[in-house]
């Protein structure tokens, strides 16, 4: 089948690579415009743009998917389908009927669970034990279209959002190609999503990564892992933001000392522990403003938190 691929971040690159290695013909790629990042705020192309240009595939970077020139180009290319993986913008209704088989989205959830932009992050934060990936036909509703295929993936106790997304993006690439294979031969039809089990996964903002030390240790652990690497989990110390990397939850404070209060810090020779609403967590790496990422012990030796000080206070 002749296809035009739409995707932007690193998680979309395995799908583009799988399509290029398949029997389908990739006519071109649509991706988000170059974006500024890093300390110098310099412009960088998306990972999908880099991969497409290395493969010699034409690349479109419209500022908006509603750009009339995008529709004109797609009409000229006349793709049979447009596979989509984390493109980063909604496909407008005017484009939905342009490919014969429509726009086929690879979504990293078991729909109808976690519809939206951050399904992997929300699955971890909610404590799900199993998630997966789904291919479905894009409609005007948010991730509501009929599903063509799914795969499941276990969420491991130490998974960050990046760990899980890496596995799903690799496994999902095969699912996307298989879906296009089935559509090309006419052997695959979508099935409507059930009305039960719907949940939403909106994009996480920086404020969503703020830790509430009054919550149980397991909830703190999930929020940190779900927000790693983006938007990042954080707390405050002496009025400044302290970024927190994955922690180790402790059901109870294992030593014989008095239980820690929420946010209270205890430093010994081997670890830095922080009290929560139930149990404690052992900090891994942290990052203070303007500093590099460092082991929590190194941070604590320099910061010397006092017995009355608490994180997040």
């Amino acid at each position: 089948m002749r296809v035009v691929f739409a995707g932007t971040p690193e998680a979309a690159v395995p799908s583009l690579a799988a399509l290029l290695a398949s029997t389908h013909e990739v006519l071109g790629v649509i991706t988000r415009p170059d974006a500024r990042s890093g300390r110098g705020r310099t412009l960088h192309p998306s990972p999908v743009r880099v991969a497409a240009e290395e493969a010699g595939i034409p690349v479109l970077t419209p500022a908006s998917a509603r750009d009339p020139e995008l529709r004109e180009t797609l009409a000229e290319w006349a793709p049979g389908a447009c596979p989509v993986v984390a493109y980063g913008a909604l496909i407008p209704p005017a484009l939905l009927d342009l490919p014969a088989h429509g726009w086929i989205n690879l979504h990293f959830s078991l729909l109808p669970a976690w519809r939206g932009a951050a399904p992997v992050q929300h699955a971890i934060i909610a404590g799900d034990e199993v998630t997966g990936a789904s291919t479905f036909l894009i409609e005007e509703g948010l991730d509501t279209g009929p599903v063509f295929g799914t795969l499941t993936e276990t969420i491991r106790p130490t998974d960050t959002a990046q760990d899980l997304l890496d596995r799903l993006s690799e496994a999902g690439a095969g699912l996307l190609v298989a879906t296009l294979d089935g559509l090309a031969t006419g052997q695959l039809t979508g099935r409507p999503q059930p009305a039960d089990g719907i949940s939403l996964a909106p994009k996480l903002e920086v404020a969503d990564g703020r830790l509430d030390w009054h919550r149980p240790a397991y909830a703190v652990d999930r929020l940190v892992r779900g927000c790693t690497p983006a938007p990042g989990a954080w707390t405050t110390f002496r009025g400044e933001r302290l970024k927190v990397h994955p922690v180790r939850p402790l059901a109870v404070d294992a030593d014989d000392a008095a239980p820690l209060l929420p946010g209270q810090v205890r430093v010994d020779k081997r670890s830095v522990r922080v009290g929560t609403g139930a149990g404690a967590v052992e900090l891994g790496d942290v990052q203070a403003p303007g500093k590099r990422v460092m082991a929590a012990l190194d941070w604590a030796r320099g910061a010397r938190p006092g017995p009355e000080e608490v994180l997040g206070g």
Side-chain angles (χ1 to χ4, degrees):
M1 191 186 317
R2 290 158 53 87
V3 302
V4 173
F5 180 77
T8 297
E10 195 67 43
V13 173
S15 287
L16 175 58
L19 286 167
L20 291 170
S22 74
T23 58
H24 303 289
E25 180 185 1
V26 181
L27 303 170
V29 162
I30 309 168
T31 189
R32 299 293 294 159
D34 297 359
R36 297 187 183 280
S37 62
R39 289 190 173 183
R41 305 302 295 165
T42 53
L43 283 172
H44 292 278
S46 76
V48 164
R49 177 173 183 171
V50 172
E53 291 180 342
E54 287 176 353
I57 304 298
V59 176
L60 305 176
T61 59
S64 168
R66 299 179 184 277
D67 186 337
E69 292 186 6
L70 173 61
R71 179 175 174 78
E72 292 175 9
T73 302
L74 288 175
E76 291 174 4
W77 285 347
C82 291
V84 183
V85 183
Y87 169 51
L90 295 177
I91 306 301
L95 296 184
L96 291 181
D97 294 334
L98 199 150
H101 293 285
W103 296 69
I104 312 301
N105 190 199
L106 172 64
H107 194 260
F108 298 119
S109 79
L110 294 172
L111 292 172
W114 303 127
R115 292 172 174 169
V120 171
Q121 294 87 336
H122 282 275
I124 291 175
I125 293 169
D128 291 358
E129 295 181 350
V130 176
T131 186
S134 307
T135 51
F136 71 98
L137 178 67
I138 294 180
E139 299 178 333
E140 289 191 44
L142 177 64
D143 301 338
T144 57
V147 172
F148 297 110
T150 61
L151 60 84
T152 59
E153 177 69 35
T154 299
I155 300 179
R156 300 168 185 168
T158 58
D159 270 343
T160 65
Q162 188 65 65
D163 295 333
L164 185 54
L165 188 58
D166 286 346
R167 297 202 302 275
L168 288 172
S169 63
E170 291 290 341
L175 175 64
L176 182 62
V177 172
T179 298
L180 294 171
D181 290 345
L183 290 173
T185 59
Q187 296 177 325
L188 184 63
T189 56
R191 65 180 187 282
Q193 295 184 30
D196 296 329
I198 297 171
S199 52
L200 300 179
K203 179 182 177 181
L204 294 176
E205 305 294 344
V206 172
D208 296 316
R210 182 168 190 166
L211 298 174
D212 179 356
W213 296 105
H214 289 82
R215 301 206 63 201
Y218 71 80
V220 171
D221 165 54
R222 291 174 186 171
L223 183 62
V224 173
R225 290 188 290 113
C227 289
T228 299
W234 58 279
T235 186
T236 55
F237 179 68
R238 295 173 184 165
E240 292 192 317
R241 187 174 299 182
L242 181 70
K243 191 169 184 178
V244 178
H245 291 261
V247 300
R248 186 166 73 94
L250 307 169
V252 295
D253 202 1
D255 57 26
D256 294 331
L260 291 166
L261 298 173
Q264 188 178 9
V265 180
R266 178 175 294 148
V267 184
D268 60 28
K269 293 181 179 178
R270 295 169 297 179
S271 66
V272 179
R273 297 181 178 187
V274 183
T276 73
V281 298
E282 181 180 325
L283 296 184
D285 291 337
V286 299
Q287 187 175 17
K291 305 287 187 181
R292 60 178 174 81
V293 177
M294 65 180 71
L297 266 176
D298 293 336
W299 165 78
R301 289 186 184 113
R304 296 180 179 276
E308 303 301 324
E309 291 184 296
V310 294
L311 298 182

